[in-house]
Structures are given as C-alpha cells and as structure tokens.
Amino acid sequence: METFIQDLRYAIRMLLKKPGFTAVAALTLALGIGANTAIFSVVNGVLLRALPFKEPEQLVRIWESNPAANLPSFSASFPNFNDWRTENEVFEEMAAFREDGFNLTVGAEPERLMGARVTASFFQTLGIAPAEGRMFLPTEDQAGADRVVIVSHRMWQQRFGRDAQLIGRQLMVDGQPFTVVGVMPRGFTFPQDNTDIWIPFAPDAQRGERSAHFLRVIARLKPGITVERAQSDMDMIAQRLEQAYPKTNTGWRSTMLPLHEAISGQIRTTLLVLLAAVGLILLIACANVANLLLARASARGREIAIRSALGARRGRIVRQLLTESFLLALLGGGMGLLLAVWGVDLLVSFGPDSIPRLKEVGIDGSVLGYTLALSLLTGTIFGLAPALQTSRTDLSRALKEGSLTSTEGAGRHRLGRLLVVSEIALAMMLLVGAGLLVQSFIRLQQVEPGFDVAHSLTMEINLAQAKYPKREQRAAFLQQALDRIKALPGVEFAGATHRLPLRGNSGAGFMIEGRPEPQPGQELSINYRSISPDYFQALGTPLVQGRTFTEQEAWSTAGAVVINQAAARRHWPDDSPLGKRVKISRGGDWLTVVGVAGDVRESGLQTEVEPGIYLPYVHAPVPSMTLVIRAGADPVSVVSGVREQVRAVDGDQAVSNIATLEQLVTTAIAQPRFNASLLLLFAAVALVLAAVGIYGVMAYAVGQRTREIGLRLALGAQTSDVLKLILGQGVRLTVIGVVIGLIAAFALTRLMESLLFGVGATDPLTFAVIALLLTGVALLACYLPARRATKIDPMVALRYE
C-alpha cells in the first residue's frame, strides 16, 4: 500500500508538472468516455434494465400470425384469446388489452386521456398491485358488471392533487360514471408511456367474432417453462382451433417473445449500432492519448534511465507509468461523466417517441459502475503499450547522450505509426456507417407521402361507445361536426378518417364479384380506411380516376367505395376498376368502385404502398376518428373554432392530439433522423480525433528529424523534396488505414442493413466518397507539419548536434 501511495503521489506531481499535456489528454478521453456513458445509459435503461414487474423474465407477449397472408405478428381475436387462456398448460396467467383514449369530464372542460381497456387479469399477470385501493375483480370484465376504473399515480398527483378520498369517488369517463377502485404505483404506465387510466372491457357482439383481431396479449409462464416449450403448446392449440373453425382460423398460428424483447423491438439494432460507434470513438481517443504518451516518453528518457540505473526494475517502472495512465483515465472519466449527464438529458429531451422507456433513462449505479470500469480499461488500453515501450531503455546510451532522442528507437516509431493506422481505420468505419445513414435519411425525405402537407391540420375525436352505441348515431355526430367546421372562416375542406396516413393499416377480408370464392386460409385481404366525403380534398390526395363519394353515399348504406392505385394495379391490371363490385368482410353488402385515389403511404415512408380501399364512414363507424382540416396560411388559427363547433354538437366531447400534416411527416422520420444525426456527430468527432492524431505523429516525426532535414537542406535538397519526404510517410499511413477501414466497414455495415432505406449496406458511392474525404483530411493534417519542415533553417538545425 505504501508503494502504491508513493506511485500515486509521484503520478499526481508528473501530471501537474505538464498541465497542458494533462488537459489535452483528459479532454480527449472525456469525449470518448462521455459519449460511451451517455449511450450506455440509454442501452441500460431500454435493453438491460429489467421491467418493473414481478419476475419479469417470466412474462411473454403473444401474437396471432398468418405467414401465408404475410402477417408475422398480428392482434388476436377475443374468442381465440379465450381458448388460449382455457386450453394452455404452460401459463400461470394470461391477459389481453387494447390501447384506447377516453374523455374525462371534470368541471366544464372535457379532457382527453390515453389509457387501456384490459381484462380483469391484467395487473395480476404483470404481478403488480395498485399503490392505493385494489385490482379489478375477476367478474369486472364481464358484460353487465359495475363500471370501475384504476388511474395512474401521475394522474392522481397532477389531476387530483393526491386526494386521499379519490378511491370510491365517481369520475365521468366517456359520459358515464366510473368508480375509482385503485391508484397504480409511481412510474407504472404500461402499456404506453402516456397511459393514465385502465378500464375493464366486456366483449360485445362484434368483438366476439373470431375474424375481429384487435387484442394485444401478455402471459406469465409457469415456473420452469421455457418460451420454446410454451410455443410448442400454443402451436398445438392453434392446430385444434384451425380444425374446429376452418373458416376463420385456417392458416393462423401464434408467436411469442419475452415481453422485454417485444418492448425493445427494432430499437435494439439502433442502440447497439450507436454503442459500437461510441466504442470506436473511445478507441480512437485511446490511440491519440497513447501517441501523446509516446511523445512525452522521449522527454522522460533520461529520468527512466536514471531510475533503472539506481535499481528500479522494469516492472516497477511499468507500474509507475500505468499509475499515471490510470490517474489520467480517471480524470478523463470524471470529466466524461459530467458530459454524459448533459448528454443523457439531451437524449431524453430530443429522442423520438419510438424509443421505449426513454423517459426512465438516467445515470444510476449501473452506469456509474460502467463508467469506472470503462475508465480503468481505457487507462490500460492507452497506457500499457507506451509503458512497456518506455521502460525498454538503453541505459548506457541514455545516460551518456542525455538527449531527447536518446531513448528513441525503431520500435517506438513503429508503435506510433500503428496507432495512426488504427485511428484512420476506425474513423473510416464510423464515417462509412454515418454516410450510409445520412444518405438513407436523405432518400427517405425525398419520398412522396401521397398527400399535401401544407396548410392542413389534424385532431382526434373519440366518441364514447356507451353514448353512441349505433353506427347511425356516430355518423350523425360526425356529419354535424364536419358541417359546422366547414362553415368556419378560413376552412377550405374538412374531412375525417379513422386512421391517419403513416400510422399503420387496418386489414379486412376482400372479395371481388365474379371471381371464384377462395378456400379457407387463402382469402384476399386489403387495407381499409373509413373516411368522410371531403377527406381526399382535405388531405390533398388526387383522384386519378372516377370520383369520391357523394354526400348521400357517405352518410347512408349506399354501396360506393374508392380504391388506391396499388389495388387497381394488383386486382385489375388490364382493366378499369370503375363500376366493379367488391365485398368487405366487415359488411355483407356488395360495394361499387366509383373512384381510384393516388397512392398514400399509409404504413410509413419506408413501407411500400399496399392495396387499399376507402369506405364511407357509415360502413365502418369506429368511435375514434381524426379530423383533417385544410385551412388558409395558418391552419392552427382555426383550432379554437373547431373545438367550439365540436362541443356545440356534444358538450362532453374533447378534441386532442392537434398537429399539422407537416408534423405528422416529421414524426414519421424522427427515428431515422435521430439515428443519422447521432452517428454523424460521432463520425465528425472521430474525424477530428483522427486528424489530430495523424497531425501529432507527423509533427513529432518532424521534430525528431530536425537535424536530418537541416542536413538535407544544407546539402542542396529543394523545399519540394522535403515536402515529398514528409508527405510520403503520411500518405503511406493514410492509405493503409483507409484500405483496412474499407475492408472492415464492408463486413460490418451489413449489420445495420435494417436501418437503411433506399441505399445498400455496401453502397460503392458512399464508400468512395468517404474514402476520399478521410484521405483529404489526413493529407491536410500531414501537410501542416511537412510545410513547417520546409521552413527549418539548416544552420540552426545543425547546431543541435
């Protein structure tokens, strides 16, 4: 311990002796460690931290799937869910839920809340109990049960001021009284981050159909049961259901994933790519600091030689030098931790909503432990090689000459060059990855969404099913509301749809008149949208053939539909679809195609347009509708007027999620923008560090060769000869590093293929441009020391001998 304290004191004195060196090295390390800590905080919070439920490793997410219909994971139907629950032998509990919105009326102004309708077993399956009150009773998800509700801790605190008397109190939800029976613990918001209310739901006639897929299902495995064993059990149940109900269950199976994996979803690849990127930055930073230590070692050659002559063994000297490296790494780690705190706040504030559990991310004990371990590992990485090289000293030569070059040898030069080549190769890999993501993002921005984003506003309306149980009532409300909104000053068109573009699809069975009825499991499917007459005008989507609905067709059961171009191409490739009749599984009537609309990206900008059909609202009158309003130069100015007109039809009706179509597109590309921006930032840091690294090595080489260069100039060498000499060394290192980086990038970028759009993982143009960019920057970093070498005065240089 006494020896360690001596080493520590000596290391502190040496670092304080060269404050400039210490500051540069610590800042370089802080960049690498800080970036790693910030990204690891997100990885830890999203991928590594266990879900806040009882024995979360036992929880799984279950989907229905139909490979033949290209549906790898689909919502479940209520009858199938009930059969799963009663027939399985592998689950302790199983629950179903559906995200939903609710209108809460407290006082005069209705408020829109996001929540979920759940089966009574929902909280028991998750293994979490309310902080106040109780769970739902087993009978409370049955038809005719008392109306009860459980609220979030956030809602209890912010909306009701932690009212201790809230349990047992009645709330007006969707125009009906619900009794509060529980308040969930702080932080519990499953299934979504904005969930504030949970209500049991009882299956009605429509939800009882096996063809109606709308449920999300979770289950808890019995002790000792693996996911594979559970999957096998569910496969057997699916086969029995297929035999019992061939019309609706042919081809349908089930699939499952651990709940944690299902929540993290595709963001796993993104986070791992970002973690690998900051790992490369740290390696580049380590190479830079190692080169700084090698340069500093030349000035300490005589010191090391004297210590060796006085009896210090090589191991003792290596330990002393490593102590300095560890101290430097801890200093960089402390500074990096401060940068990470700021970085994490930035990531949480500006990260896209598609990153699950992002709001839970923060600096905790695991992150602090990671930073400490990373700092110590970093100290070993950048300190060990220079320490071993420095401790290998020629005593007689060092003590006799006492010059700056006394301890310099070919080995040290080789190590410095190796570090520079490594930096360039690592930077090349990171730059190629960033280049691919940036090019992918640019391609994504160029995709036409199929609608005009200018001067349009959207807002959601959710009709209470208890208040509007019949389709005619819902249609009458929407018709009255739209008629009032169209009369507002500045409003050009007002339409409605049950789901906005870029928000995913609703699927339905599909039949074409005059064609053979398909066998079970081979039915045609089509995506549908429930819309009002002026929807296309409000959205800015053109009709390429025919017309849209008339007012009479839109609000009655007259059979008129509009299809998109993708449907026309697939089902009527050599004929006009106008006048053809089709049938949708959600209605038994034949419907006539009266128009063909331009293709709209319904599932996202990165997804190809699939065949779709637009139904008059009365044929699929879902309770939740989104208004689309095309107004003047400032569509936001009509928001208050729209609210007033909606409340004029129903005073309990709230309007929520107000956004422009431009914001809709911005949200759709938020995740790719986040990916490209972060990786571009990291690549820029890597480029700067690599340039600084090669500049430092070349400047050091010029300093070591001052006498040689002076002698060459004295013997008649031209300035261009000296320039070529120095640049030649830098060019060789750069070319080697770029070639190695290209090979590594070619192999590794395939891992990020799922993050790309419109560009291949081995795109030759990107590779070529990045190679030229990095080569140009590296040559500039070499040119500056080379230019300085040409200014050496031969007489001054020769005096050093």
Side-chain angles (χ1 to χ4, degrees):
M1 177 60 71
E2 183 178 350
T3 304
F4 171 72
I5 293 175
Q6 289 176 354
D7 288 344
L8 190 60
R9 288 175 177 171
Y10 186 76
I12 293 174
R13 286 200 303 271
M14 293 305 297
L15 293 180
L16 292 177
K17 187 177 179 181
K18 297 288 184 180
F21 163 83
T22 303
V24 171
L27 283 173
T28 302
L29 293 173
L31 283 175
I33 295 175
N36 271 269
T37 301
I39 296 300
F40 176 78
S41 298
V42 180
V43 171
N44 179 58
V46 175
L47 301 183
L48 303 181
R49 185 183 298 159
L51 296 173
F53 310 133
K54 174 187 175 183
E55 297 176 349
E57 68 280 358
Q58 296 297 106
L59 292 170
V60 294
R61 174 87 158 80
I62 307 175
W63 295 268
E64 290 201 79
S65 61
N66 192 329
N70 195 27
L71 297 172
S73 55
F74 204 62
S75 301
S77 69
F78 233 121
N80 287 345
F81 162 72
N82 284 328
D83 288 334
W84 292 352
R85 184 163 51 175
T86 56
E87 295 183 23
N88 85 84
E89 298 178 354
V90 292
F91 300 117
E92 281 188 348
E93 297 287 348
M94 184 180 289
F97 63 92
R98 186 190 72 181
E99 295 93 343
D100 208 344
F102 302 95
N103 297 322
L104 173 68
T105 305
V106 179
E109 188 71 24
E111 179 183 357
R112 179 72 168 164
L113 296 176
M114 295 308 299
R117 297 184 186 274
V118 303
T119 57
S121 57
F122 179 76
F123 298 108
Q124 188 172 354
T125 301
L126 292 174
I128 189 165
E132 304 287 340
R134 63 170 176 83
M135 299 183 192
F136 295 132
L137 301 177
T139 58
E140 287 178 336
D141 62 358
Q142 303 300 314
D146 293 337
R147 290 187 289 269
V148 293
V149 61
I150 293 177
V151 301
S152 69
H153 188 280
R154 175 178 54 203
M155 179 178 171
W156 177 54
Q157 183 177 37
Q158 297 178 0
R159 188 68 182 80
F160 298 102
R162 300 174 63 91
D163 183 3
Q165 305 301 317
L166 183 62
I167 304 297
R169 178 176 164 186
Q170 286 194 336
L171 302 180
M172 292 300 295
V173 180
D174 284 347
Q176 291 188 308
F178 280 75
T179 303
V180 179
V181 297
V183 176
M184 294 309 296
R186 182 189 301 274
F188 179 84
T189 58
F190 188 81
Q192 294 180 310
D193 289 341
N194 59 350
T195 303
D196 277 320
I197 189 170
W198 294 267
I199 290 177
F201 62 93
D204 57 22
Q206 182 182 5
R207 292 181 183 141
E209 298 175 1
R210 288 188 183 271
S211 59
H213 298 261
F214 68 97
L215 285 180
R216 304 178 187 274
V217 179
I218 55 174
R220 177 174 292 277
L221 296 169
K222 290 180 178 178
I225 299 295
T226 64
V227 174
E228 293 74 18
R229 166 73 177 84
Q231 183 66 68
S232 177
D233 186 77
M234 292 293 289
D235 288 341
M236 289 189 291
I237 295 175
Q239 292 172 9
R240 291 198 297 268
L241 293 177
E242 184 177 35
Q243 294 172 0
Y245 308 101
K247 187 174 181 180
T248 57
N249 283 59
T250 297
W252 286 94
R253 295 293 182 266
S254 65
T255 184
M256 69 181 69
L257 281 176
L259 183 59
H260 193 289
E261 187 176 339
I263 290 175
S264 61
Q266 295 182 344
I267 199 64
R268 178 183 298 271
T269 301
T270 298
L271 294 181
L272 293 181
V273 167
L274 292 176
L275 190 62
V278 292
L280 295 180
I281 290 179
L282 184 58
L283 289 176
I284 295 173
C286 287
N288 260 353
V289 175
N291 264 323
L292 286 174
L293 290 175
L294 284 174
R296 185 168 179 254
S298 297
R300 299 182 63 181
R302 185 172 179 80
E303 170 206 336
I304 301 300
I306 292 174
R307 295 186 65 183
S308 298
L310 292 176
R313 294 184 178 183
R314 188 184 180 195
R316 180 73 172 80
I317 293 173
V318 169
R319 189 176 69 186
Q320 174 63 59
L321 295 175
L322 281 178
T323 301
E324 296 177 24
S325 297
F326 285 138
L327 192 60
L328 191 60
L330 290 174
L331 179 60
M335 297 170 63
L337 188 60
L338 295 178
L339 288 176
V341 171
W342 171 79
V344 168
D345 290 341
L346 199 64
L347 289 173
V348 172
S349 300
F350 295 100
D353 293 336
S354 55
I355 301 181
R357 307 175 69 193
L358 184 61
K359 302 303 180 184
E360 303 174 21
V361 170
I363 305 294
D364 59 11
S366 299
V367 176
L368 292 176
Y370 172 84
T371 305
L372 177 60
L374 187 65
S375 300
L376 295 176
L377 178 62
T378 300
T380 303
I381 292 174
F382 74 74
L384 186 58
L388 293 174
Q389 186 67 46
T390 303
S391 64
R392 191 182 295 118
T393 305
D394 186 340
L395 292 180
S396 60
R397 193 174 164 211
L399 293 173
K400 181 169 57 180
E401 297 180 7
S403 67
L404 290 175
T405 60
S406 61
T407 62
E408 196 62 49
R412 183 166 298 168
H413 284 299
R414 283 195 298 271
L415 180 57
R417 290 194 291 268
L418 177 61
L419 290 171
V420 167
V421 169
S422 301
E423 286 188 68
I424 294 174
L426 293 170
M428 183 70 199
M429 295 163 59
L430 193 47
L431 283 166
V432 167
L436 290 173
L437 279 184
V438 169
Q439 190 174 350
S440 175
F441 179 65
I442 292 173
R443 298 279 180 89
L444 191 61
Q445 285 186 304
Q446 294 171 346
V447 172
E448 287 294 333
F451 52 87
D452 183 7
V453 301
H455 311 309
S456 285
L457 188 71
T458 69
M459 55 187 72
E460 292 183 13
I461 292 178
N462 190 275
L463 300 178
Q465 295 182 13
K467 193 171 185 178
Y468 298 92
K470 298 181 180 180
R471 66 169 62 194
E472 294 80 9
Q473 292 173 311
R474 299 173 193 169
F477 170 89
L478 187 60
Q479 183 178 15
Q480 293 178 52
L482 288 176
D483 287 343
R484 286 174 170 274
I485 293 169
K486 291 175 188 177
L488 289 172
V491 172
E492 298 173 5
F493 297 101
T497 177
H498 88 279
R499 181 172 291 180
L500 285 170
L502 308 179
R503 295 284 179 85
N505 274 312
S506 300
F510 179 61
M511 293 178 58
I512 301 175
E513 187 179 35
R515 299 187 185 181
E517 186 172 344
Q519 297 297 317
Q522 300 179 359
E523 297 90 349
L524 296 175
S525 63
I526 196 166
N527 299 313
Y528 76 92
R529 285 288 194 278
S530 174
I531 66 171
S532 69
D534 290 342
Y535 173 69
F536 295 117
Q537 293 94 324
L539 193 64
T541 296
L543 283 171
V544 295
Q545 291 185 53
R547 60 177 177 82
T548 186
F549 320 124
T550 64
E551 286 289 326
Q552 181 181 0
E553 291 168 336
W555 307 114
S556 68
T557 56
V561 294
V562 175
I563 63 173
N564 66 359
Q565 289 176 287
R569 287 191 299 267
R570 177 173 297 184
H571 298 298
W572 294 276
D574 302 318
D575 194 8
S576 171
L578 298 182
K580 302 298 191 294
R581 297 210 304 170
V582 298
K583 183 184 288 187
I584 305 299
S585 62
R586 290 180 178 271
D589 299 328
W590 287 104
L591 308 171
T592 303
V593 177
V594 298
V596 178
D599 284 336
V600 176
R601 301 273 177 166
E602 305 285 12
S603 294
L605 294 174
Q606 295 168 286
T607 306
E608 291 297 325
V609 178
E610 297 178 350
I613 191 167
Y614 298 92
L615 304 172
Y617 176 71
V618 72
H619 285 281
V622 295
S624 180
M625 293 293 290
T626 301
L627 304 178
V628 183
I629 301 165
R630 183 164 294 277
D634 182 18
V636 179
S637 62
V638 303
V639 170
S640 59
V642 172
R643 274 203 177 103
E644 290 176 4
Q645 297 308 317
V646 169
R647 293 193 63 198
V649 181
D650 183 347
D652 293 328
Q653 187 60 55
V655 173
S656 62
N657 294 335
I658 300 168
T660 64
L661 285 179
E662 187 174 4
Q663 290 171 325
L664 182 72
V665 174
T666 300
T667 301
I669 60 175
Q671 182 66 58
R673 177 189 286 111
F674 179 79
N675 300 344
S677 300
L678 272 188
L679 206 59
L680 185 61
L681 174 63
F682 297 152
V685 172
L687 183 62
V688 171
L689 288 176
V692 169
I694 194 169
Y695 170 82
V697 167
M698 298 309 298
Y700 176 72
V702 169
Q704 293 297 305
R705 301 176 68 176
T706 298
R707 181 178 176 276
E708 174 198 339
I709 294 171
L711 184 60
R712 287 174 179 270
L713 291 172
L715 293 176
Q718 300 297 312
T719 300
S720 58
D721 297 327
V722 175
L723 204 60
K724 290 177 183 177
L725 176 69
I726 304 301
L727 278 179
Q729 181 181 354
V731 168
R732 285 192 296 274
L733 297 178
T734 299
V735 170
I736 294 172
V738 166
V739 170
I740 294 174
L742 281 173
I743 295 172
F746 186 84
L748 295 178
T749 51
R750 299 172 186 270
L751 301 177
M752 55 186 292
E753 211 158 10
S754 62
L755 304 179
L756 302 178
F757 173 79
V759 59
T762 56
D763 179 60
L765 178 62
T766 302
F767 276 66
V769 170
I770 294 301
L772 291 175
L773 171 65
L774 184 56
T775 301
V777 171
L779 289 180
L780 177 62
C782 295
Y783 175 78
L784 297 176
R787 183 69 178 170
R788 190 181 70 188
T790 63
K791 305 298 183 182
I792 292 176
D793 186 335
M795 296 305 295
V796 174
L798 292 175
R799 277 197 206 114
Y800 284 111
E801 181 58 23

